[in-house]
Amino acid sequence: MSQDTRVDKVIAESVASDSNVVNQNSIVESKAKKERRKRSVAWDHFTSAVDSEGIKKGVCNYCKKEYLADTKEHGTTAMLGHIRKCKKIPCNVDTRQSKIAFQSVTGGNKGDVSIVSWKFDQEECRKALCRMIILDELPFRFVEKEGFKQFMKVVQPLFRIPSRTTVTRDCFDLFDEEKNKMRSIFKETQQRVCITTDTWTSVQRINYMCITAHWIDKNWTLHKRVINFCPISSHRGEDLAKGIVKCLHEWGLHRIFTVTVDNASSNSVCVAELSKQLTKWGTNLLGGKHLHVRCMAHIINLVVQDGIKEANISIERIRQAVRYIRQSPARWKNFQECCVDENLAKKSLCLDVPTRWNSTYLMLNRAIEYEGAILAYADRDIGLAHHLEFGHICVCDGDSDIVDEEQPVGSLLCSDWDSIKRIAKFLELFFKLTLKVSGSLYITSNIHFLEICQVGFCLSKLISSDDIVLAQMATNMKKKFEKYWGDPTKMNKMLFIPCVLDPRHKFTTLSFALKKMFGDNGATIEKDVREYMKSLFNEYSSSASKDKCGKLSSEVEASSSSYMVDIGDFYEELSRHTSGSGAGNSKSELDKYLAEDTEVGTSDFNVLLWWKYNSARFPFLSEMDWLRSESQPISIEEDLDSLEQLEQDLIWIPMLSKSHIFVSGLKGTVIEFCKNIVLAGV
């Protein structure tokens, strides 16, 4: 019995071992059957096949020609060679031969084309791909999408599509390349640059700062470039100054003419610290008296905000009505039906943002356009009347922002429509002014003071108006206006001087405007402006003379280093004699410019073009930066919503160096920075 048991155990063990061998053989066979992923680009145009004899071959997808393709014996060299020769491959390009192509003419009429030579270049295609991703704000993973791959197979099969990691690296390389070009431009020109800066805090409680550089090149073309967009530690003036100094040092910008900021108290500290640093660098003109420029657009915003408070009830009723209609898709559908009944185009009603007065103007303007539709909707939906009746508005105590009481909004009356029509007409003046002074494609410094005079003149007229609402609005706005532009001793002289440098105005216009705005004190202010202009002109002319003398002395020393005998200079003595005898009648460039008649002003007059043509007559004046001072900061508030939303997707991507930088999968600070530099077209 025991022998039978041992026999059965041996048989069972042999059967188990046989089954293990079978399982291992099946695993080996399954692994052998699983082929490796084909990595060669040849397989994008060939299909793997096995003939009747079991030989592996690659079949061309276009001409059906077969090649031996056993990975152990043959490889893909023959198939790659066929790709370059196959006549049936679409858009097959001979990389050794340039070909003729047609390109649409930029800025021309529809259908205008130009003939250019074209040659396939893998590296240039990769750069173009990076530019597309930056300009169109595409995610890096876009290159790995199946649709893009299929598109490139048809357009250019020879283009090897890089991975998203490679595209990321290429974008940084492109950024560094364009940055080096911009840095070399700043180094070669050695001219003064005006900068504007703005800061804010995102919903992630991260402090950001943006710095923009404005300058005019030797061809008298205005440029604007974002040179920094980065997180900062805090909004303290010292920290802001450190961030600006670090940015300027990185770009090699040590010659700064003006710094435009808003009216935050920390910015005053920032500019003061920056002025000290410029003094250390030896590039601070006249001790930095004109360095700090207040943002005109920001002051206009503060002025208008004080005026809107007076008409808060009528505006609030329109705001609540618009908010009620926009809150529900069903209400919006009913409103569109009212638009059709009133024969009005279907447009969206605008809801304003409390911190932007221009959005309030746009809301009122659109509401006036759809007055009939809003009244028709109020007759259809009784809920709007209840919403206005039970809503409340906060009323502030006097000039403070402290809430004094809450009062009901009330029904929307005919008097409210009349009131907002007058308010919208009044705010249109400031809306157009804001658009005018916020331009970045043309200079604006030459019109700032004249526009300020226009605003002051209109406010003075409206204060004595019979319209109580507008008169009170103008009174409140005039108080804020006087705070910033009422005392000429506190105003930057760069507010007046660009007006003088406009050949249509000069001191003739400035003198008239000063008397209109400041009365009898206008003559005193004009005298101060003349003296400041002369001192600034002398500063520029003396520095230019030093540079020329330095170059001349170095040339003389180099040419006469072997001759130590002082032989004198006849022409130098003649120049001294001539300047001494005619000193009483000689005039500086500034005096000659001011003595000439003013140009006839036209709507399309180009100040930069005039100075370009007359720079030979006024070489020192043309080198000065008076027209280069811009007084509007970069408009980053419009992009805050998208930036804050996309901030959730920010990831850390390591650079090739040890440092790290913020990058977004769709739109990040680096992408925005790259976009501004790539658009420069340098």
Side-chain angles (χ1 to χ4, degrees):
M1 193 68 181
S2 60
Q3 291 180 355
D4 295 339
T5 303
R6 285 195 298 268
V7 170
D8 293 338
K9 186 175 181 181
V10 170
I11 293 173
E13 290 177 354
S14 63
V15 171
S17 61
D18 293 339
S19 62
N20 290 336
V21 171
V22 172
N23 292 335
Q24 291 177 359
N25 292 335
S26 62
I27 293 174
V28 172
E29 290 177 0
S30 63
K31 288 184 178 180
K33 291 180 180 179
K34 186 177 180 181
E35 297 181 355
R36 290 191 306 169
R37 182 174 63 89
K38 297 179 176 62
R39 292 177 294 178
S40 176
V41 295
W43 294 110
D44 294 337
H45 308 280
F46 280 81
T47 302
S48 179
V50 180
D51 62 6
S52 58
E53 298 178 0
I55 300 175
K56 294 182 179 180
K57 294 184 178 182
V59 182
C60 178
N61 296 334
Y62 309 102
C63 65
K64 305 304 179 182
K65 189 171 182 179
E66 298 180 353
Y67 286 89
L68 297 176
D70 192 337
T71 56
K72 294 182 179 180
E73 299 179 4
H74 306 103
T76 59
T77 304
M79 292 188 291
L80 291 174
H82 174 76
I83 292 175
R84 293 191 294 268
K85 300 176 183 178
C86 183
K87 301 298 183 181
K88 294 187 178 182
I89 294 181
C91 299
N92 198 355
V93 180
D94 186 359
T95 58
R96 299 169 297 176
Q97 179 70 36
S98 296
K99 295 192 176 182
I100 293 177
F102 296 94
Q103 281 187 352
S104 58
V105 179
T106 305
N109 298 326
K110 186 177 180 180
D112 292 347
V113 296
S114 60
I115 301 176
V116 296
S117 61
W118 178 81
K119 182 180 179 181
F120 174 76
D121 190 330
Q122 175 71 18
E123 296 302 321
E124 289 298 325
C125 290
R126 283 176 57 176
K127 286 186 178 181
L129 178 61
C130 292
R131 290 177 182 271
M132 180 188 71
I133 289 175
I134 293 171
L135 293 176
D136 295 338
E137 301 173 358
L138 300 173
F140 295 131
R141 62 179 180 274
F142 173 78
V143 296
E144 297 180 352
K145 298 286 186 180
E146 189 61 30
F148 178 73
K149 292 181 178 179
Q150 294 294 335
F151 174 75
M152 291 308 301
K153 282 183 180 180
V154 177
V155 174
Q156 182 49 267
L158 292 181
F159 178 61
R160 298 188 297 275
I161 301 176
S163 65
R164 58 179 175 180
T165 305
T166 304
V167 170
T168 304
R169 189 184 303 110
D170 289 345
C171 286
F172 281 115
D173 293 340
L174 180 60
F175 165 75
D176 292 334
E177 178 183 345
E178 297 294 339
K179 185 176 181 179
N180 291 331
K181 289 181 181 179
M182 188 67 63
R183 188 186 287 113
S184 63
I185 290 176
F186 289 145
K187 184 177 180 180
E188 292 173 1
T189 56
Q190 289 295 322
Q191 65 182 38
R192 294 191 177 271
V193 175
C194 300
I195 63 173
T196 59
T197 180
D198 203 355
T199 59
W200 81 98
T201 303
S202 69
V203 293
Q204 299 291 322
R205 311 307 300 171
I206 300 176
N207 304 313
Y208 288 101
M209 177 175 65
C210 187
I211 304 175
T212 311
H214 307 260
W215 77 95
I216 299 173
D217 61 17
K218 293 182 179 180
N219 295 323
W220 291 89
T221 302
L222 179 65
H223 294 275
K224 169 190 172 184
R225 299 290 182 270
V226 176
I227 61 174
N228 200 10
F229 193 96
C230 63
I232 54 176
S233 57
S234 70
H235 290 276
R236 294 175 62 250
E238 294 81 0
D239 295 334
L240 296 179
K242 290 180 181 178
I244 295 175
V245 169
K246 181 180 178 181
C247 172
L248 296 179
H249 187 70
E250 179 182 355
W251 285 94
L253 290 174
H254 296 158
R255 298 165 61 86
I256 304 300
F257 190 67
T258 59
V259 180
T260 303
V261 291
D262 58 23
N263 299 305
S265 58
S266 59
N267 286 328
S268 300
V269 179
C270 171
V271 176
E273 294 295 325
L274 183 59
S275 179
K276 295 178 182 178
Q277 184 61 46
L278 293 177
T279 303
K280 293 180 181 178
W281 289 341
T283 59
N284 203 11
L285 279 176
L286 299 180
K289 294 180 181 179
H290 60 269
L291 185 65
H292 187 183
V293 178
R294 296 183 183 274
C295 172
M296 183 176 179
H298 187 261
I299 295 176
I300 293 174
N301 180 51
L302 298 177
V303 170
V304 178
Q305 288 286 4
D306 277 17
I308 290 178
K309 292 179 182 178
E310 186 61 30
N312 206 14
I313 294 178
S314 297
I315 296 176
E316 185 63 27
R317 288 171 181 169
I318 295 295
R319 182 183 293 116
Q320 292 295 337
V322 171
R323 180 179 287 114
Y324 178 83
I325 295 173
R326 288 167 52 100
Q327 277 180 345
S328 167
R331 296 171 187 171
W332 180 246
K333 183 178 180 181
N334 291 335
F335 177 75
Q336 288 184 324
E337 293 175 356
C338 295
C339 293
V340 174
D341 296 340
E342 296 292 329
N343 197 21
L344 296 172
K346 296 180 181 180
K347 295 182 181 179
S348 176
L349 292 176
C350 303
L351 188 62
D352 66 338
V353 181
T355 56
R356 304 180 198 167
W357 74 266
N358 54 340
S359 65
T360 303
Y361 165 76
L362 295 174
M363 179 188 69
L364 297 179
N365 204 31
R366 183 60 59 84
I368 293 171
E369 183 181 354
Y370 285 84
E371 176 184 357
I374 294 175
L375 293 176
Y377 181 85
D379 295 336
R380 289 189 182 188
D381 189 356
I382 193 65
L384 176 59
H386 289 296
H387 178 77
L388 295 175
E389 182 179 355
F390 295 104
H392 289 80
I393 179 175
C394 298
V395 180
C396 298
D397 183 15
D399 296 334
S400 66
D401 294 332
I402 302 175
V403 177
D404 185 30
E405 60 177 346
E406 289 187 355
Q407 66 181 48
V409 176
S411 302
L412 190 58
L413 307 176
C414 294
S415 58
D416 293 321
W417 287 104
D418 296 335
S419 178
I420 66 169
K421 287 177 182 178
R422 297 194 302 273
I423 293 171
K425 188 66 177 177
F426 174 54
L427 294 180
E428 185 179 5
L429 167 67
F430 298 92
F431 181 75
K432 292 181 178 179
L433 173 61
T434 302
L435 295 179
K436 193 173 184 180
V437 302
S438 299
S440 59
L441 301 178
Y442 53 88
I443 62 169
T444 58
S445 56
N446 59 319
I447 63 172
H448 283 164
F449 181 64
L450 299 181
E451 295 296 337
I452 290 172
C453 293
Q454 171 71 5
V455 171
F457 182 79
C458 292
L459 292 178
S460 300
K461 288 287 185 181
L462 283 174
I463 288 176
S464 57
S465 173
D466 296 334
D467 192 320
I468 300 176
V469 176
L470 290 183
Q472 189 59 44
M473 285 180 62
T475 302
N476 295 343
M477 295 169 73
K478 186 69 174 179
K479 292 179 181 178
K480 185 68 73 173
F481 180 89
E482 294 290 339
K483 178 180 178 181
Y484 294 103
W485 293 322
D487 188 358
T489 59
K490 297 180 180 179
M491 298 172 67
N492 194 321
K493 293 297 189 295
M494 284 302 132
L495 202 61
F496 311 110
I497 294 178
C499 179
V500 180
L501 266 291
D502 191 329
R504 297 170 296 175
H505 303 305
K506 300 185 179 180
F507 271 107
T508 304
T509 301
L510 183 64
S511 177
F512 175 81
L514 289 173
K515 291 179 181 178
K516 274 289 184 181
M517 188 168 179
F518 301 109
D520 296 336
N521 294 330
T524 305
I525 302 170
E526 180 184 351
K527 182 180 178 181
D528 295 340
V529 174
R530 285 181 180 272
E531 292 178 355
Y532 196 84
M533 280 191 69
K534 289 182 179 179
S535 60
L536 195 57
F537 174 78
N538 293 334
E539 185 78 16
Y540 268 84
S541 58
S542 62
S543 61
S545 300
K546 290 178 181 178
D547 294 340
K548 290 183 179 179
C549 292
K551 292 180 181 179
L552 181 61
S553 62
S554 61
E555 292 175 0
V556 171
E557 290 176 1
S559 61
S560 61
S561 58
S562 59
Y563 302 97
M564 303 302 296
V565 181
D566 185 7
I567 59 177
D569 192 339
F570 168 76
Y571 290 102
E572 183 178 351
E573 294 183 6
L574 177 62
S575 176
R576 273 198 235 103
H577 172 74
T578 305
S579 61
S581 61
N585 298 325
S586 62
K587 291 184 178 181
S588 66
E589 286 184 18
L590 180 60
D591 295 331
K592 292 178 182 179
Y593 167 77
L594 296 176
E596 292 183 357
D597 295 335
T598 57
E599 298 286 341
V600 178
T602 57
S603 58
D604 58 346
F605 185 83
N606 191 329
V607 180
L608 293 182
L609 190 61
W610 188 93
W611 276 103
K612 180 180 180 179
Y613 291 150
N614 292 271
S615 58
R617 297 171 54 224
F618 308 107
F620 286 141
L621 278 175
S622 62
E623 288 296 323
M624 300 178 69
D625 303 273
W626 297 341
L627 287 173
R628 295 174 167 88
S629 59
E630 297 294 325
S631 65
Q632 76 276 358
I634 182 173
S635 301
I636 54 176
E637 291 85 356
E638 298 177 0
D639 298 329
L640 285 181
D641 296 337
S642 59
L643 284 174
E644 290 170 353
Q645 178 181 357
L646 293 164
E647 195 175 12
Q648 306 287 346
D649 301 327
L650 285 176
I651 59 174
W652 285 98
I653 294 184
M655 290 284 290
L656 298 179
S657 61
K658 296 181 180 179
S659 60
H660 291 74
I661 191 163
F662 267 124
V663 178
S664 171
L666 179 61
K667 177 182 177 184
T669 56
V670 174
I671 293 299
E672 284 296 298
F673 193 21
C674 290
K675 182 177 180 180
N676 284 276
I677 293 184
V678 170
L679 286 176
V682 178

